[in-house]
């Protein structure tokens, strides 16, 4: 048993854990404005903390510093979006290598500014330290917009769908780890989210998450949580591909036509991967990180 | 200019920053309960993210793993308390060395559980990775209880006070870095908070923060923020001592008797360190971390 699994098992039984298992957690809130207080509206808040670390999630030579800073934020933005919330605030814990020049530091800042401006995110706090490796710990706070999507809620008979064809991330990482080149258009480098598509989807889907650890791993998790078998139609090494940050969701078969129409409208190259059945899934998958 | 200073300067001018400068940031909230939602009451929320990393804040041989986990949480709890809020929820980003045994992992978990149970904190999310060094990134969420204290708000003539005699943390770290032993009762190892004292204090003090980087450094920051001189009565190398997590606060001289009575009641060994004047402070201080 690896350490993360051990830790996760502990989280399941410790009395101090609450609401863990989704990409984010929901805290409800309402408007109140005053000196020094970040003014918020009456929408519930979704919180998520993700780490993005050199040697674990990336090697520095694979990305420009600007691209790294942006990706660190985008993987957290993905956590918020997949619960049908909109990212609003972030707290950033930044570990910068002692060897960094001020120029390198500025490149990070440019990346952070660019991604936060694009998404309308306000940086409201955090911490910075000099360290040996570059590492981002980001707490992202989003506001819900209607129905919140959880990992729990799948029903027997539901279709299992991904919002796009996955696999490019695996291919890129595989090649990089062997010292080769990788296609810069891969999801490993270029993250974009089909936000309009997902917003419309949330009206009729039952479960929503982002594919951060590969479809096999996510299906194993969904199976445990929903006590159902997330049965994929076929085996495919693309299903091992993590860091896709495409959406994985379930919907009742009666919505299939509506789903396909929506996908066409938003140019989403969706894939129907399988069906939820009675039982338990247990796909063999190596850890992505 | 070091990297943290550079980064902080950027934060001051970037349009994406909001509400930065205090130990935590306030988000207002209200009660709403539903499936999957952490139920909260109508109190405002205070959020803070702090890093606690091997090689930066500690060497592993200085602490037991349980003590380390506890200290990681306590330094974050301190951020919430000093704004006159009560810690309620935490998100934990944990980097565990690959070399850790399951036993070592369990010791960390025991420490986390102990400190969270003691303070009534619920762990609501986070992330775990295998890394080269041990590191904690904690986002602590607290609820306000009455008046929130900020770093801004000092008035000319205010007294500058620390909630206890500082210095033990500096002494311990100094000795440890030279390979010596350190008193285990030092604030470097043993953090406790005189919560009742501070709660009563908040009725008449103007500024509140925790001493994480030494009194000199904190006074320089307060000076910039309040555009006043935080004039200390004397020079003392104890004022360089960071990681004290005692409170630094300001109050009008007319409350001096009330303050001393309160300190006596709560056995707080307060020190009146100086007075707020017109001008700017610029104490020479080396960085604590």
């Amino acid at each position: 048993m690896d350490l993360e699994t051990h830790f996760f098992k502990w989280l399941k039984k410790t009395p101090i854990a609450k609401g863990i298992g989704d990409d984010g957690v929901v805290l409800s809130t309402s408007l109140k404005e005053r000196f020094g207080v970040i003014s918020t509206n009456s929408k519930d808040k979704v919180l998520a903390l993700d780490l993005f670390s050199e040697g674990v999630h990336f090697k520095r030579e694979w990305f420009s510093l600007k691209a790294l800073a942006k990706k660190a934020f985008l993987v957290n933005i993905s956590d918020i979006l997949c619960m049908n919330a909109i990212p609003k605030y972030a707290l950033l814990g930044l570990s910068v290598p002692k060897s960094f020049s001020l120029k390198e530091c500025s490149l990070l800042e440019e990346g952070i500014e660019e991604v936060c401006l694009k998404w309308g995110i306000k940086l409201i706090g955090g911490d910075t330290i000099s360290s040996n490796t570059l590492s981002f710990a980001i707490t992202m706070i989003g506001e819900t917009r209607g129905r919140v999507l959880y990992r729990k809620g799948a029903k027997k008979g539901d279709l299992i769908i991904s919002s796009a064809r996955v696999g490019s991330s695996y291919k890129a990482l595989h090649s990089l780890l062997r010292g080769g080149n990788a296609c810069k258009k891969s999801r490993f480098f270029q993250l974009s989210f089909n936000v309009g598509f997902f917003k419309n989807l949330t009206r009729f889907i039952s479960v929503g998450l982002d594919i951060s650890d590969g479809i096999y791993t996510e299906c194993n998790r969904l199976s445990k949580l929903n006590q159902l078998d997330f049965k994929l139609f076929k085996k495919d090494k693309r299903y091992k591909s993590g860091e896709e940050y495409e959406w994985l969701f379930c919907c009742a078969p009666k919505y299939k036509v509506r789903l396909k129409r929506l996908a066409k409208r938003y140019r989403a190259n969706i894939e129907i991967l399988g069906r939820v059945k009675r039982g338990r899934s247990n796909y063999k998958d190596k850890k992505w990180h």
Side-chain angles (χ1 to χ4, degrees), chain A:
Chain A
M1 185 166 55
D2 63 86
L3 298 178
E4 280 114 313
T5 315
H6 181 269
F7 190 71
F8 203 75
K9 283 204 167 174
W10 168 73
L11 274 179
K12 287 190 117 175
K13 62 174 205 282
T14 175
I16 61 166
K18 199 170 178 181
I20 289 179
D22 282 292
D23 297 272
V25 65
V26 181
L27 273 182
S28 60
T29 60
S30 87
L31 175 68
K32 206 188 264 182
E33 214 163 332
R34 68 176 191 209
F35 171 74
V37 176
I38 300 291
S39 95
T40 63
N41 57 22
S42 65
K43 287 173 185 165
D44 288 348
K45 298 277 176 290
V46 178
L47 280 86
L49 184 155
D50 256 344
L51 303 173
F52 188 63
S53 295
E54 186 176 343
V56 181
H57 302 92
F58 61 87
K59 288 188 181 175
R60 234 185 293 158
E61 56 266 34
W62 294 349
F63 292 83
S64 74
L65 286 171
K66 244 178 106 169
L68 269 179
K70 282 160 93 171
K71 184 164 179 181
F73 274 80
L74 286 170
V75 302
N76 279 278
I77 288 170
S78 176
D79 279 336
I80 301 297
L81 290 176
C82 76
M83 293 186 78
N84 195 27
I86 299 173
K88 287 281 175 181
Y89 309 106
L91 294 116
L92 169 64
L94 183 61
S95 306
V96 186
K98 290 182 196 85
S99 59
F100 260 33
S101 66
L102 294 182
K103 173 74 192 150
E104 287 173 304
C105 209
S106 294
L107 288 171
L108 283 182
E109 290 159 4
E110 274 174 38
I112 296 169
E113 201 167 273
E114 209 173 295
V115 68
C116 286
L117 280 176
K118 190 187 164 192
W119 286 88
I121 294 166
K122 290 283 174 193
L123 212 55
I124 57 171
D127 195 7
T128 318
I129 56 171
S130 290
S131 179
N132 292 318
T133 52
L134 179 61
S135 165
F136 302 81
I138 297 177
T139 293
M140 188 68 69
I141 301 154
E143 277 174 9
T144 59
R145 49 161 187 195
R147 204 171 140 237
V148 179
L149 279 164
Y150 299 95
R151 285 173 179 251
K152 219 171 167 173
K155 283 187 185 63
K156 201 157 58 76
D158 275 1
L159 299 170
I160 307 163
I161 302 139
S162 74
S163 58
R165 192 182 153 86
V166 299
S168 73
S169 200
Y170 181 82
K171 229 168 148 179
L173 183 61
H174 199 71
S175 168
L176 287 169
L177 287 174
R178 288 167 163 229
N181 288 318
C183 171
K184 291 291 173 192
K185 282 186 178 169
S186 152
R187 295 279 296 178
F188 192 73
F189 295 107
Q190 291 286 346
L191 284 183
S192 63
F193 305 109
N194 198 336
V195 177
F197 175 56
F198 196 66
K199 189 184 169 189
N200 280 287
L201 266 185
T202 54
R203 292 185 194 148
F204 59 89
I205 62 178
S206 54
V207 149
L209 56 139
D210 63 346
I211 305 167
S212 52
D213 293 321
I215 288 173
Y216 282 142
T217 302
E218 305 295 2
C219 281
N220 284 340
R221 284 180 192 153
L222 287 171
S223 171
K224 269 186 202 158
L225 213 61
N226 289 279
Q227 307 264 1
L228 289 165
D229 183 10
F230 284 68
K231 187 84 190 157
L232 301 168
F233 294 141
K234 57 172 186 176
K235 285 185 183 175
D236 196 323
K237 70 173 184 196
R238 293 188 297 113
Y239 297 168
K240 290 179 183 169
S241 185
E243 293 199 49
E244 289 284 338
Y245 301 105
E246 286 293 348
W247 288 300
L248 191 68
F249 55 93
C250 295
C251 90
K254 64 175 174 182
Y255 295 120
K256 204 169 161 180
V257 176
R258 192 171 167 188
L259 171 69
K260 287 200 165 169
R261 211 186 303 132
L262 202 63
K264 203 174 167 191
R265 172 145 53 106
Y266 284 97
R267 296 179 188 192
N269 190 15
I270 59 162
E271 273 196 289
I272 301 185
L273 307 166
R275 193 183 272 269
V276 180
K277 296 191 168 175
R278 202 169 287 160
R280 287 294 274 273
S281 320
N282 192 9
Y283 300 105
K284 274 188 190 124
D285 193 13
K286 62 167 196 182
K287 274 177 56 61
W288 176 255
H289 291 128

